[in-house]
Amino acid sequence: MTAGPVGVAVVGCGTISTQYLDNLIAFPDVRVVACTDLELSRARDAAQRYGIPVMGDTAAVIGHPDVEIVVNLTIPAVHTEVARAAVAAGKHVYSEKPLALAPDDGAALLAAADAAGVRVANAPDTFLGAGLQTAYRMIAEGAIGTPLTALTLMQSPGPESWHPNPAFLFQRGAGPLFDIGPYYLTTLVGAFGPARSVAAVGRRARNSRVVGSGPLAGTAFEVEVPTHVAALLDFTGGQAATSVLSFDSPLARAGFVEITGSEATMALPDPNTFGGTIRLRRAGDDDWSAVPAKGPDAGRGLGVLDLARALRAGTPHRASGELALHVLELMTAIARSAEDGAFVPIDSTCTAPALLPDEFDPYTATL
């Protein structure tokens, strides 16, 4: 079995890449050896900033002999295309969310990876952060009794006010459901296991929006997807959840996740972060009690690190393709239900990810 740090290539050096690269270069069990972007100047800047030895076009970077994992940070519309290219080159791949734009494409990717003997992993990996790991551990230890229901809420005016090029966030494969939904839905699957059916309504406040900052400020663009979605989820284990995801609210509220059990209600940290405080309120309590998160809250890239360590150890990785495919089907079914006005069954399933070990430390070399 191969030993030592796992070689990583980053495909896509846009806005999100800095969060990944800041962490990946600090994890001793991975080594960033190459990067690329459609705009090679961005790849060149990343290579210089982070000391990445190789930059070039996508084919050369994916095919580099020192690369074992391709970190796919491209826009949603080409996630599957880049991931399939990595698989065809015999590389493992970790992609930003969503896994694909359609479940059939995601399933085909997983089948191709299985045939090639490589692994697929996928964002979000926020559930590997100290905040959600502490919450999951408390639930497993019975802190709320039997988990029964959940309520999640994310609402904002939309990202066009701050994002320098936000149009893709309002196109097919994005919107609040596909862009923000994976954080909340993955959190729920991590707590409850897979879902078996969903229902939803969707609305779109306006058909075009205007870029609010940066070089494109004042430019109008079309909105292709619902910008407000309210969903009901029915889980195989008998739990139920309500989720609201909106880019239509002047009042910004995010990070609201409450799970109610037979003995208490737990308020989880923001699922789009890696740390935070857990709050617990039992029947009869006058107020919440706070429980600090325990463990590292390193940030984006933990899923890449977990994949790298799992490859060397021959164990399952946690941000799995199966989990991402199930969440993708949930989102697609929610969108379909919003159009058709009926409950939609979920065909896929997955296993809730195993908890990280208590001694988990991303900054200590293990390979």
Side-chain angles (χ1 to χ4, degrees):
M1 182 179 294
T2 305
V6 176
V8 167
V10 172
V11 178
C13 297
T15 303
I16 196 67
S17 68
T18 57
Q19 296 183 43
Y20 276 88
L21 286 166
D22 284 344
N23 289 314
L24 291 177
I25 65 168
F27 298 158
D29 285 340
V30 298
R31 183 167 59 95
V32 183
V33 298
C35 66
T36 187
D37 192 278
L38 285 178
E39 295 184 22
L40 286 178
S41 61
R42 292 200 299 197
R44 189 175 299 109
D45 289 344
Q48 292 174 349
R49 178 177 178 181
Y50 293 100
I52 302 170
V54 176
M55 61 81 58
D57 63 32
T58 301
V61 163
I62 288 177
H64 193 282
D66 292 339
V67 170
E68 297 179 64
I69 298 174
V70 172
V71 180
N72 177 14
L73 306 182
T74 56
I75 61 173
V78 296
H79 280 178
T80 307
E81 176 185 343
V82 173
R84 288 295 293 264
V87 167
K91 312 293 184 177
H92 311 284
V93 61
Y94 179 98
S95 292
E96 252 302 324
K97 40 79 183 168
L99 177 69
L101 298 188
D104 286 349
D105 293 335
L109 171 62
L110 297 191
D114 187 60
V118 297
R119 301 196 193 193
V120 172
N122 214 83
D125 57 359
T126 47
F127 71 90
L128 297 175
L132 293 180
Q133 286 290 303
T134 301
Y136 289 155
R137 190 167 282 108
M138 291 174 63
I139 292 171
E141 292 170 350
I144 64 172
T146 302
L148 300 173
T149 61
L151 173 63
T152 80
L153 173 65
M154 189 294 302
Q155 59 184 52
S156 77
E160 71 272 21
S161 64
W162 58 268
H163 198 289
N165 190 17
F168 78 97
L169 293 170
F170 294 83
Q171 296 170 353
R172 182 171 173 262
L177 175 59
F178 283 83
D179 183 47
I180 305 299
Y183 300 109
Y184 292 83
L185 297 175
T186 301
T187 297
L188 292 175
V189 173
F192 293 158
R196 59 191 173 193
S197 65
V198 301
V201 294
R203 297 291 185 268
R204 182 166 56 194
R206 49 195 185 276
N207 294 325
S208 66
R209 299 207 176 197
V210 177
V211 180
S213 63
L216 299 178
T219 305
F221 59 89
E222 292 186 7
V223 177
E224 299 178 354
V225 294
T227 45
H228 177 95
V229 176
L232 300 174
L233 298 99
D234 177 26
F235 289 84
T236 303
Q239 303 91 348
T242 303
S243 292
V244 175
L245 299 156
S246 182
F247 284 165
D248 289 343
S249 174
L251 174 62
R253 290 189 292 192
F256 187 101
V257 179
E258 286 186 356
I259 296 180
T260 296
S262 57
E263 306 298 329
T265 295
M266 177 183 289
L268 282 68
D270 186 339
N272 197 4
T273 65
F274 290 80
T277 296
I278 296 87
R279 295 182 299 133
L280 200 65
R281 189 161 183 169
R282 297 178 176 85
D285 287 353
D286 294 328
D287 204 350
W288 296 87
S289 58
V291 180
K294 296 180 181 179
D297 58 356
R300 282 174 172 81
L302 283 178
V304 180
L305 174 65
D306 181 65
L307 172 60
R309 290 180 173 179
L311 289 173
R312 291 288 189 264
T315 57
H317 58 287
R318 292 169 174 83
S320 68
E322 290 75 17
L323 172 61
L325 179 61
H326 185 68
V327 170
L328 173 61
E329 188 181 355
L330 290 181
M331 294 188 295
T332 304
I334 287 169
R336 195 168 109 211
S337 176
E339 292 180 0
D340 298 345
F343 270 91
V344 176
I346 305 299
D347 295 326
S348 66
T349 189
C350 67
T351 301
L355 291 170
L356 289 168
D358 289 338
E359 67 275 14
F360 174 76
D361 183 355
Y363 302 109
T364 298
T366 64
L367 304 181

